[in-house]
Amino acid sequence: MVALVVHGGAGHWVEAERDAAVAGVRRAAAAGWRILDAGGTALDAVAAAVAALEDDPLFNAGRGAVLNAEGEVELDASIMAGDTLASGGVTCLRRVKNPVLVARRVMETTDCVLLAGAAATAFAREQGFADFDPVTDRRRARWEAERQSAARDDSVPGTVGAVALDAGGRLAAATSTGGRELKRPGRVGDSPVPGAGNYATAQAAVSATGWGEYMLRMATAKAIATRIEGGATPDAAAAAVLAEMQRVFGTPIGVICLDARGAIGVVHGTEGMPHAWRVHGDREVGARFAV
Amino acid sequence: MVALVVHGGAGHWVEAERDAAVAGVRRAAAAGWRILDAGGTALDAVAAAVAALEDDPLFNAGRGAVLNAEGEVELDASIMAGDTLASGGVTCLRRVKNPVLVARRVMETTDCVLLAGAAATAFAREQGFADFDPVTDRRRARWEAERQSAARDDSVPGTVGAVALDAGGRLAAATSTGGRELKRPGRVGDSPVPGAGNYATAQAAVSATGWGEYMLRMATAKAIATRIEGGATPDAAAAAVLAEMQRVFGTPIGVICLDARGAIGVVHGTEGMPHAWRVHGDREVGARFAV
């Protein structure tokens, strides 16, 4: 049994972009699936899927990430291997094409789990990641309009993520984002933090999206993983924590998750969250805008 | 019922400093207790107790924090209010006397939960926190010796913390640290991250200490709080997660925690962890090096 789910963000998607978003998550899932199908690891699969989403300027991660209050892009990402609980992350990373791949280097080449700010960017350069400007004309134009506007337009989708189970029974999760538009420089969101926006154990892999501060305060991904470990199905676990987030904070979240038998959970409290999935065995394959 | 527990770190304390450490945590507890006893909030009490530990150069937090690989001090701290799940934190903060008070300003004056690096330091200045050099001659001398030594001396105690319950039934937790000696600049530890080294809910307050990367990977403080919310006593909850950390990572932790009835949990897998506690009602008062 191998399985993969990816999502492209649970924010507000304008009607005109929904098909493109579904096509984008389908391509990202295909990139991850090629790895799993060839006997590769869940870790490689989630890294490839999230890197594909980072490369697609439609999504708020890597190229196409939204700008902060100073008109800069600061990127957050993390990746986690369920079998070892190894985790790597970067926050407030600048001018890198694929933050999720830098996060993986943090995991694999340092004794740290999370690197922040200028030091994270310096680490990326040490590791050979070239200087790359992730700002697109479209995001810049939007930022120029938004920062002068009293009424905020919330039609920028959030965080992207992937979860996978490989043939060796290993689970992994990866998450990447540009964070909130007009965010304060130096703000750390949930995506780079294990237990908040991303988490994987021997029994559960979780990637979540939503208002980062609420996810940090709830330790949302850990809460979902704990429920799966306690015997809940991924769908039930994610739905329970979504309900808790709505009750406590009045805020919706989006979640993709997997258990070690390849059961999938996809929930969102928003109108949509483009996602794609594929599971061997019972041959579930699909991509859609909303559950 | 009001209650307070503080600790001064579960690292290796040399024999000669243990009495001073116990005296230090006793003073910090007294600072917190004065607030609770006067009808103040748990949040004010943990902030005062942790600020007192930051001011004491014996402890690895605030003044007396250990130096990183570049000979600089980078400070991590957070504070959390259980009744609202409000949380604030700073990581890689430089040249500030009381990181826990900056963390509280993040919580109370921004829409962020965690600020990192140069932006965190800039925020502290905006908020009126003066430039302050936390490096002591003793830590500098130690760093000079350590960075040239093959055999590392691990006799620098870690993270400090406090948990409190006030007369209004509100729980709070605060945690502060200089992190690991010779750490990579930009490294984010567990202390500033809700769910990792610090956590508070309506039913549980937790401050933990140990190897930060393992605590991030386990989401240790959230795991302990979840067990308390599930009905475990604070001592049993902390002991169960300590055992899990030892089983999975082979690493000990130290934990102080409280539930909403004022029951205290204190556990450490190390030889000691100076701590002090006080509980009204059954009038438990004490301070000691080890459980």
Side-chain angles (χ1 to χ4, degrees):
Chain A
M1 170 70 77
V2 296
L4 175 79
V5 192
V6 310
H7 82 86
H12 175 65
W13 286 89
V14 294
E15 199 77 36
E17 295 190 344
R18 294 180 182 180
D19 288 349
V22 172
V25 294
R26 195 191 298 271
R27 281 191 301 272
W33 189 260
R34 276 194 293 278
I35 290 166
L36 291 178
D37 205 36
T41 66
L43 204 62
D44 284 339
V46 295
V50 168
L53 294 165
E54 289 173 341
D55 289 342
D56 186 333
L58 192 62
F59 301 102
N60 176 17
R63 192 158 75 99
V66 298
L67 280 58
N68 71 13
E70 293 179 351
E72 303 283 340
V73 167
E74 290 193 324
L75 302 156
D76 287 356
S78 66
I79 188 166
M80 188 161 185
D83 56 328
T84 58
L85 299 178
S87 184
V90 283
T91 182
C92 307
L93 178 72
R94 294 193 178 197
R95 297 188 66 90
V96 163
K97 184 162 175 283
N98 290 114
V100 71
L101 303 183
V102 183
R104 187 167 181 181
R105 296 286 179 90
V106 171
M107 181 177 102
E108 293 181 340
T109 73
T110 79
D111 60 358
C112 298
V113 162
L114 181 54
L115 291 181
T121 306
F123 169 77
R125 299 288 177 257
E126 275 169 36
Q127 291 286 318
F129 291 90
D131 181 65
F132 178 85
D133 182 1
V135 179
T136 60
D137 291 346
R138 183 176 175 227
R139 295 291 194 228
R140 173 71 64 188
R142 202 191 128 84
W143 178 82
E144 293 287 357
E146 278 299 290
R147 68 179 177 140
Q148 292 162 21
S149 162
R152 295 286 293 279
D153 168 8
D154 66 349
S155 65
V156 170
T159 306
V160 306
V163 293
L165 170 69
D166 65 31
R170 291 176 294 256
L171 289 157
T175 302
S176 183
T177 193
R180 282 209 312 272
E181 190 167 39
L182 294 170
K183 68 185 179 183
R184 180 187 280 267
R187 176 250 189 185
V188 182
D190 60 300
S191 301
V193 174
N198 196 69
Y199 206 60
T201 71
Q203 293 169 270
V206 181
S207 179
T209 176
W211 197 267
E213 277 66 23
Y214 296 127
M215 318 262 278
L216 282 164
R217 290 162 63 186
M218 184 63 77
T220 302
K222 173 74 171 183
I224 295 167
T226 299
R227 283 175 183 269
I228 294 173
E229 291 172 343
T233 65
D235 252 331
V241 175
L242 165 61
E244 190 178 6
M245 296 287 291
Q246 281 180 313
R247 181 176 54 77
V248 175
F249 299 122
T251 189
I253 58 174
V255 178
I256 55 172
C257 50
L258 269 180
D259 70 16
R261 294 167 316 194
I264 281 176
V266 179
V267 307
H268 54 89
T270 54
E271 61 188 331
M273 178 178 75
H275 59 282
W277 67 97
R278 189 152 175 173
V279 182
H280 252 161
D282 52 3
R283 294 176 192 286
E284 275 188 70
V285 184
R288 61 185 170 189
F289 178 67
V291 169
Chain B
M1 169 71 76
V2 296
L4 175 79
V5 192
V6 310
H7 82 85
H12 176 65
W13 287 88
V14 295
E15 199 78 37
E17 295 189 343
R18 295 179 181 180
D19 287 350
V22 172
V25 293
R26 194 192 298 271
R27 279 192 301 271
W33 189 260
R34 275 194 295 276
I35 290 166
L36 292 178
D37 204 37
T41 67
L43 204 63
D44 284 339
V46 295
V50 168
L53 293 165
E54 289 174 340
D55 289 342
D56 186 334
L58 191 62
F59 301 103
N60 175 17
R63 192 158 74 99
V66 298
L67 281 57
N68 71 12
E70 292 179 351
E72 303 284 340
V73 166
E74 290 193 325
L75 301 157
D76 286 357
S78 67
I79 188 166
M80 187 160 185
D83 56 329
T84 57
L85 299 178
S87 183
V90 284
T91 181
C92 307
L93 178 72
R94 294 192 177 196
R95 297 187 66 90
V96 162
K97 185 163 175 281
N98 289 115
V100 72
L101 302 184
V102 183
R104 187 166 180 182
R105 294 285 179 91
V106 172
M107 180 177 103
E108 294 182 340
T109 72
T110 79
D111 59 358
C112 298
V113 161
L114 181 54
L115 291 180
T121 306
F123 170 77
R125 300 286 177 258
E126 275 169 36
Q127 290 287 318
F129 290 89
D131 181 64
F132 177 84
D133 182 1
V135 179
T136 60
D137 291 345
R138 184 176 174 226
R139 295 291 194 227
R140 173 70 64 187
R142 203 192 127 84
W143 178 82
E144 292 287 357
E146 278 298 292
R147 69 180 177 140
Q148 293 163 21
S149 161
R152 296 286 294 280
D153 168 8
D154 66 348
S155 64
V156 170
T159 305
V160 305
V163 291
L165 170 69
D166 65 31
R170 291 176 294 256
L171 288 157
T175 301
S176 182
T177 192
R180 282 209 311 273
E181 192 166 39
L182 293 169
K183 68 184 179 183
R184 180 188 280 268
R187 175 251 191 185
V188 182
D190 60 300
S191 300
V193 174
N198 196 69
Y199 206 61
T201 72
Q203 293 169 271
V206 181
S207 178
T209 175
W211 197 267
E213 278 66 22
Y214 295 126
M215 318 262 279
L216 281 164
R217 291 161 63 186
M218 184 63 78
T220 302
K222 174 74 171 183
I224 294 167
T226 299
R227 285 176 182 269
I228 295 172
E229 290 172 345
T233 65
D235 252 330
V241 175
L242 165 61
E244 191 178 5
M245 296 287 290
Q246 280 180 316
R247 180 176 56 77
V248 175
F249 298 122
T251 189
I253 57 173
V255 179
I256 55 173
C257 51
L258 269 180
D259 71 16
R261 293 167 316 194
I264 282 176
V266 179
V267 306
H268 54 89
T270 54
E271 60 187 334
M273 178 178 75
H275 59 282
W277 67 97
R278 189 153 176 174
V279 183
H280 252 160
D282 51 4
R283 293 176 192 287
E284 274 189 70
V285 184
R288 61 187 170 189
F289 178 67
V291 170

